Amino acid sequence: MAFAKRNPKIPEGINASDDNPLKDFLLLLAGVSGFVVICVTLLVLFSQSLAPYIPFHYEQKIAQFYEQQFVETGKQEGQAPSLKFQEAEAALQELGSILAAKADLPEQIDLQFHLVNDADVANAFATLGGHIFVTTGLLQTVSSENALAMVVAHEIAHVKLRHPIQALSRGVIVQLFMSLVIGGQDASAVQSVLGQTGLLTLLSFNRSMEHQADSEALDALFKQYGHLKHAEQFFKKMSELGHKTGWKEVFYTHPDVESRIKHIQNEMHRHQRTSQQVVPLDPRLIR
């Protein structure tokens, strides 16, 4: 006897759940929130280690917001830079380019050198986006190109090793990562924070960073000149004049000067050569 084919009757309520849908939603929300909290916590904990992996072109994009301010830094307030100042800055840029070529910089890193019209403080510093500053006061403390080259090569090394981005606070670094992940290339939020806090020009490097930058700089100097004579000259001057008010700022950004001088002198002894000809300072740089 044949039976007609038909679909079986599905029992009522087979797909119904006894759980409240709101409960499932809350569990999902809790899971997502927990994941975000864990990610942010890991970013905070490892921000300093991860900072060098932020693309350099993104760091440059942030710095573009301040580039006009960088340019204005070298001028006297309300005055155009003098011809002598422009010539000195050109000489600094030429020396910087020569040393950058010896520093084995990653391909994506681009440097810009600026002379700061401040005769009262002898200092140099590197900041975001590959900008390097040297004060006119520093030019008055060095007697040779070799001595100036050590300072400039040291700041180049900071940029090469991505120290400026690492020197930012953990909160700003986390914002950078979040901006990269969530906001693409939009750096406006980070620029706002940097502008409000002044972090851009108040970056400071720890002793380990300074030691690394010194080692890199000494290597670049040896490649350029074949010896390290006068490499410690500026740092000795820092030590001698450190008690003066105008030099306090130098010590904030260059800690443990005596230890650094000893490290440089040890390297000088190790690389000692019979011929150690010192290159005179470019006349354009003599103030």
Side-chain angles (χ1 to χ4, degrees), residues 74-76 79-89 117 287:
K75 299 179 181 179
Q76 292 182 343
Q79 298 181 18
S82 66
L83 178 60
K84 184 173 178 61
F85 180 89
Q86 293 178 49
E87 291 175 343
E89 187 168 54
N117 205 342
R287 308 296 293 175

Side-chain angles (χ1 to χ4, degrees), residues 18-67:
D18 294 332
D19 295 331
N20 190 316
L22 182 60
K23 180 181 177 182
D24 293 335
F25 172 75
L26 292 175
L27 286 173
L28 178 62
L29 182 62
V32 172
S33 300
F35 177 75
V36 171
V37 168
I38 291 172
C39 289
V40 171
T41 301
L42 290 174
L43 275 177
V44 170
L45 291 175
F46 298 103
S47 58
Q48 304 298 322
S49 301
L50 292 172
Y53 296 99
I54 296 174
F56 189 75
H57 67 84
Y58 186 67
E59 183 180 325
Q60 288 178 305
K61 185 165 185 177
I62 296 170
Q64 283 177 358
F65 185 78
Y66 302 93
E67 284 193 5

Side-chain angles (χ1 to χ4, degrees), residues 40 43-45 47 169-179:
V40 171
L43 275 177
V44 170
L45 291 175
S47 58
S169 70
R170 292 181 186 274
V172 174
I173 293 175
V174 169
Q175 283 198 47
L176 276 168
F177 276 109
M178 296 301 286
S179 178

Side-chain angles (χ1 to χ4, degrees), residues 213-283:
D214 282 342
S215 296
E216 289 273 347
L218 290 168
D219 183 57
L221 252 67
F222 190 76
K223 289 178 181 177
Q224 175 63 18
Y225 301 108
H227 63 84
L228 300 177
K229 191 173 182 179
H230 279 200
E232 86 290 17
Q233 186 182 91
F234 173 66
F235 303 102
K236 280 187 172 181
K237 195 72 172 181
M238 287 170 59
S239 180
E240 293 170 5
L241 302 179
H243 63 282
K244 293 189 177 181
T245 304
W247 285 73
K248 289 181 180 178
E249 183 179 342
V250 176
F251 279 86
Y252 294 151
T253 56
H254 297 84
D256 199 15
V257 177
E258 295 300 329
S259 174
R260 293 177 65 193
I261 292 173
K262 185 175 180 181
H263 169 61
I264 293 172
Q265 289 176 333
N266 287 339
E267 290 299 304
M268 290 172 64
H269 180 73
R270 191 165 69 88
H271 292 88
Q272 191 168 1
R273 295 288 185 272
T274 53
S275 176
Q276 300 188 76
Q277 185 176 2
V278 173
V279 179
L281 200 62
D282 190 313

Side-chain angles (χ1 to χ4, degrees), residues 86-154:
Q86 293 178 49
E87 291 175 343
E89 187 168 54
L92 173 66
Q93 291 167 347
E94 289 169 16
L95 177 61
S97 297
I98 291 170
L99 295 170
K102 304 293 182 181
D104 298 324
L105 294 173
E107 205 172 299
Q108 70 273 21
I109 290 183
D110 181 44
L111 301 174
Q112 295 188 51
F113 300 90
H114 310 271
L115 188 61
V116 180
N117 205 342
D118 188 349
D120 296 327
V121 176
N123 202 2
F125 59 93
T127 190
L128 296 179
H131 292 272
I132 293 173
F133 298 83
V134 175
T135 67
T136 53
L138 187 148
L139 300 180
Q140 299 173 12
T141 67
V142 294
S143 63
S144 68
E145 179 182 292
N146 304 64
L148 176 60
M150 176 61 193
V151 180
V152 175
H154 174 90

